[in-house]
Structures are given as C-alpha cells and as structure tokens.
Amino acid sequence: MISVSVSNLTKKYNRKLVLEGIKFNHSSGVLGISGSNGSGKSTLMKCLAGLLRPNSGSISWSKDNQKLSQSDLKPYIGFVAPYISLYEDLTVLENLTFLSEVSLNKQNDEFYRDLLSQTEIESLSDKLYKSLSTGQQQRVKLASSLIKEPSVLFWDEPGSNLDSKGHELVKRIVNIQKEKGTLIIIASNDPDEIALCNKKIVLTD
C-alpha cells in the first residue's frame, strides 16, 4: 500500500506565496483538493507528483512502510490535467500504445481494447487525436492515466469538458479504482467530484 505524508509545505512563484503550511496524511481512498481558481490546487498536485519542487516543507511517500523517492514513485503514477495534452497527429490507439511503450509498460491488444471500453471510446480508436472534440479528448486523457495500472492516480479537473455521461464515467472509474486499492487524489472545484472523496483539503486564496 502506498501512502503520502505532507508537512508544512510552502510554494512560491517569485514573491507570490501560493501554498503555505500545507500538512496532511493520505493512505487510502480518495483525497479531494478543492478551492477557487488560483488557490493552488494544480500547484499542490504538481508538488505531490514531483513535477514541482516546494520551497520548504516535506513530502514523504512510502510503499509497504518503505520510503519511496520521487524517482521510485514515478512508475506508480497516473496523471490527468487540463495542461497536459497528447499527440495531435497520432490516433487514439497510437497515443495509448506510445505512452505505454515510453513508460516501459507495453501491453497486449486486449488491454488497449479494455481501456478504450472502460472510457467508452472504442469507436474512436483509429481517429486522430486532433480531430476529436474536447470532451472526447478528455476521455482519451483519462484512458492514458490508466496505462500503467497506477497505484496512485492524480486527476486534476477530471470532468473538464465532459457532458453528464462523461461525469458519470469519472464517477464509475473512481469507484473501480478505489475498489482496486488505488490511492486517488482529485483536484477540483466541482462539488460532484469532491463528493467522490473520502476526505478533502480546502485551499484558500
């Protein structure tokens, strides 16, 4: 089991203080990070995933009581965010295949078919990513975050650009992953998405 402990985390951009004194522990279920736009939700997610270095404080990850470095953690992570895109000139299936290969986690055809089925985009398999609607692209992003069968799932605004069926899909995947024991962290200001979380952190401006 993977867990994270955060103590007195502070992050600044130049002189602007974005996060100050953040502390929490998370070891099971779904953690929600809520707050208005500009409150630092994405910054906190990036710090937790090792994409940003905090100015002070500590983030400690462990697996089965053994400490994990950020490089140790990387293979266990799936990540979705509005600011992360996929390759426009590749098809949906080519994107998923390429991402699994670069993460050294190449899968068989059945795995990809199942992933497309989970995210309800089987019919888009051979479509170029750039030809898709923003909602369809978001479904592909959700699928891409599951490529490594992650133990830790970071979802930053997972329902972005999705319709009501898409929001139901987010809920369904969260429940499936929770049953698998995946540690899930959702950053959102959508009350329905935060309602999926066992506990939450509220960030203020």
Side-chain angles (χ1 to χ4, degrees):
M1 181 173 67
I2 290 184
S3 62
V4 61
S5 178
V6 177
S7 178
N8 294 318
L9 184 145
T10 297
K11 178 62 183 175
K12 298 177 181 178
Y13 291 114
N14 297 319
R15 293 185 178 181
K16 180 177 173 57
L17 183 63
V18 180
L19 300 170
E20 182 179 22
I22 304 296
K23 53 185 177 181
F24 64 88
N25 298 310
H26 184 44
S27 58
S28 64
V30 189
L31 172 69
I33 302 172
S34 67
S36 61
N37 292 336
S39 61
K41 299 187 300 296
S42 294
T43 296
L44 179 55
M45 291 278 274
K46 290 177 184 178
C47 288
L48 293 172
L51 301 177
L52 279 178
R53 187 187 299 273
N55 293 90
S56 62
S58 65
I59 300 171
S60 179
W61 288 92
S62 62
K63 184 176 189 295
D64 300 326
N65 296 317
Q66 298 294 316
K67 189 172 180 179
L68 294 173
S69 67
Q70 286 293 349
S71 59
D72 293 332
L73 178 69
K74 189 176 179 181
Y76 296 106
I77 288 177
F79 201 105
V80 160
Y83 43 84
I84 294 177
S85 192
L86 300 180
Y87 295 95
E88 292 193 344
D89 292 319
L90 295 182
T91 67
V92 169
L93 183 57
E94 286 170 344
N95 262 293
L96 298 180
T97 303
F98 175 73
L99 290 172
S100 66
E101 288 176 350
V102 297
S103 64
L104 304 179
N105 193 48
K106 188 173 182 180
Q107 302 282 359
N108 57 35
D109 291 343
E110 183 178 352
F111 175 86
Y112 298 119
R113 284 195 298 270
D114 181 62
L115 202 54
L116 293 167
S117 176
Q118 281 186 56
T119 47
E120 301 172 350
I121 50 174
E122 305 99 310
S123 63
L124 304 178
S125 170
D126 297 322
K127 300 287 188 182
L128 290 177
Y129 182 76
K130 67 181 178 183
S131 73
L132 305 180
S133 69
T134 54
Q136 290 170 334
Q137 289 181 351
Q138 182 66 11
R139 286 174 180 259
V140 181
K141 289 183 183 182
L142 294 176
S144 73
S145 73
L146 303 174
I147 281 285
K148 294 188 287 186
E149 300 179 282
S151 300
V152 184
L153 198 54
F154 291 99
W155 275 8
D156 192 346
E157 297 183 21
S160 177
N161 299 312
L162 293 179
D163 58 15
S164 59
K165 288 184 178 179
H167 286 285
E168 283 299 315
L169 173 67
V170 168
K171 181 178 179 180
R172 187 159 59 251
I173 294 175
V174 166
N175 287 332
I176 290 171
Q177 292 299 315
K178 191 163 62 171
E179 285 293 317
K180 289 182 177 180
T182 306
L183 197 71
I184 306 169
I185 302 176
I186 296 176
S188 178
N189 54 16
D190 183 331
D192 291 334
E193 291 177 356
I194 294 301
L196 299 173
C197 305
N198 302 106
K199 62 180 182 178
K200 66 180 180 179
I201 298 166
V202 180
L203 302 179
T204 57
D205 294 341

